[in-house]
Amino acid sequence: MDRPRDSRPDTRAIAEAKDSAALQAAMATIAGGDLEKLTANDYSLLSKALQSRSAHPDAVPDVKLAILGNFTLDLLPRYVDVHCAREGLRPAFYVGKFGQYVQEVLDDGSELARFQPDVVLLALSLRLLQPDRMAAFSSMPAAERRNFCEEVVSHLESWGDRAVEKLPATLLIGNFPAPAHPLAGVADVKSEYGETELYLEINLELLRRFKGHPRVRLFDLERLASRYGKDRVLDPKMYYLAKMEWSPGFLPTVAAELVRQVKAVRGLGKKCLVLDLDNTLWGGVVGEDGPSGVKIG
């Protein structure tokens, strides 16, 4: 049974948790361990309790996470905080200045460089990255639209190369969710290089260029937005008031995926050995005759 809407999560056990096991146990009691039941206010209260815990002089973060972008991302850390706590992790955050993601990488003395993050998330809004070009997209010649695609991909590739040189972090570079409703409507799929094709090609090219890089990963915002519902990703009121590209309701989805990526980057995933009854260890290369096995006893 869901708790009453006006009730608040009990944060005492979280603030008093002495280690990661105690923190995970405390988080399991919040909304029955189902973070999807939490409201935006719940996340705020829980994050404050977690921050008071992290303010202890002996507190050492398990991961240092920097969040950069060209739209407002100030609310995201509180959601990541809560999802990290469920995994028993203590994060530290740096949120970059609005739209200053290039300058912070180029400046050796920037706050980002001094923070020395383990993981960096870069999330960009295409319409804020090139507002004039996006506003005039429907009137641009097809050749110029294709050049625009290459410019965007090259910009991110160049930023990634420079960030890898300057920072010790693994980079998570977000792709671009295609709009729920293209400017040209249903005619877009018949246009020569319309919005649908633009977003598909940008995202595919980003995947290809970063796939082989050991310290750069594509953060698949297109998939997350599709799963959550593209009509709900953008809150027009919050976008025009605060340049928030993502609605508060979408932030838990982003936070959950970000923590999943952090665990993979930091090698915190669970591993197991699978043994057959005759002490055969299964794994290795899967050939035409099925998976190979190694006899260990």
Side-chain angles (χ1 to χ4, degrees):
M1 182 177 179
D2 293 341
R3 61 190 178 83
R5 291 177 59 86
D6 59 348
S7 66
R8 295 184 176 185
D10 186 357
T11 61
R12 288 173 298 176
I14 291 174
E16 296 169 0
K18 301 299 184 184
D19 52 33
S20 61
L23 180 59
Q24 285 182 289
M27 286 299 301
T29 67
I30 303 296
D34 185 357
L35 300 187
E36 291 186 2
K37 295 180 179 179
L38 299 179
T39 66
N41 188 54
D42 291 338
Y43 274 101
S44 181
L45 292 171
L46 291 168
S47 181
K48 286 180 181 178
L50 290 165
Q51 289 300 316
S52 66
R53 178 177 177 269
S54 297
H56 192 278
D58 297 329
V60 177
D62 298 301
V63 60
K64 297 169 73 176
L65 176 62
I67 300 173
L68 309 178
N70 65 348
F71 57 95
T72 302
L73 289 161
D74 298 71
L75 296 182
L76 182 58
R78 69 181 62 174
Y79 291 86
V80 179
D81 227 357
V82 174
H83 282 265
C84 277
R86 183 169 63 176
E87 304 298 330
L89 299 176
R90 189 198 306 263
F93 296 101
Y94 172 75
V95 179
K97 298 179 179 65
F98 187 95
Q100 299 295 301
Y101 61 96
V102 173
Q103 293 89 327
E104 294 204 69
V105 165
L106 293 177
D107 182 5
D108 292 335
S110 67
E111 291 181 54
L112 174 65
R114 293 196 297 271
F115 182 65
Q116 289 290 286
D118 300 307
V119 179
V120 176
L121 170 66
L122 176 68
L124 299 179
S125 163
L126 192 56
R127 58 179 165 176
L128 292 177
L129 182 64
Q130 292 276 1
D132 295 336
R133 303 282 290 282
M134 288 303 297
F137 185 81
S138 58
S139 61
M140 287 164 52
E144 189 175 346
R145 296 179 187 181
R146 290 188 172 89
N147 290 337
F148 175 52
C149 171
E150 177 58 30
E151 288 174 18
V152 172
V153 174
S154 296
H155 173 69
L156 283 170
E157 185 178 32
S158 176
W159 181 90
D161 290 342
R162 184 56 59 91
V164 164
E165 291 176 6
K166 297 284 188 177
L167 302 171
T170 295
L171 310 179
L172 305 177
I173 298 182
N175 61 9
F176 298 95
H181 305 287
L183 292 174
V186 295
D188 183 73
V189 293
K190 290 294 186 180
S191 301
E192 184 178 0
Y193 207 80
E195 273 189 277
T196 301
E197 195 169 354
L198 171 72
Y199 280 90
L200 285 171
E201 189 160 340
I202 287 178
N203 291 340
L204 181 58
E205 193 59 31
L206 288 173
L207 175 64
R208 287 170 172 164
R209 296 196 190 187
F210 293 135
K211 185 165 55 175
H213 201 297
R215 284 176 51 205
V216 182
R217 295 177 175 224
L218 193 70
F219 192 75
D220 197 351
L221 289 164
E222 164 65 20
R223 176 177 58 82
L224 295 179
S226 297
R227 192 176 75 198
Y228 178 73
K230 290 187 176 180
D231 282 328
R232 299 190 295 151
V233 167
L234 178 69
D235 182 336
K237 178 180 178 181
M238 296 305 297
Y239 177 79
Y240 288 110
L241 286 177
K243 285 295 184 287
M244 284 181 59
E245 185 79 8
W246 299 338
S247 67
F250 182 50
L251 293 179
T253 300
V254 176
E257 177 65 17
L258 185 51
V259 173
R260 198 168 75 94
Q261 294 283 347
V262 165
K263 289 178 62 182
V265 168
R266 303 295 287 168
L268 301 175
K270 293 181 173 63
K271 300 179 181 179
C272 65
L273 294 177
V274 180
L275 301 177
D276 207 340
L277 294 177
D278 62 351
N279 290 332
T280 299
L281 177 64
W282 290 99
V285 179
V286 179
E288 293 180 359
D289 297 326
S292 60
V294 178
K295 199 82 167 183
I296 64 170

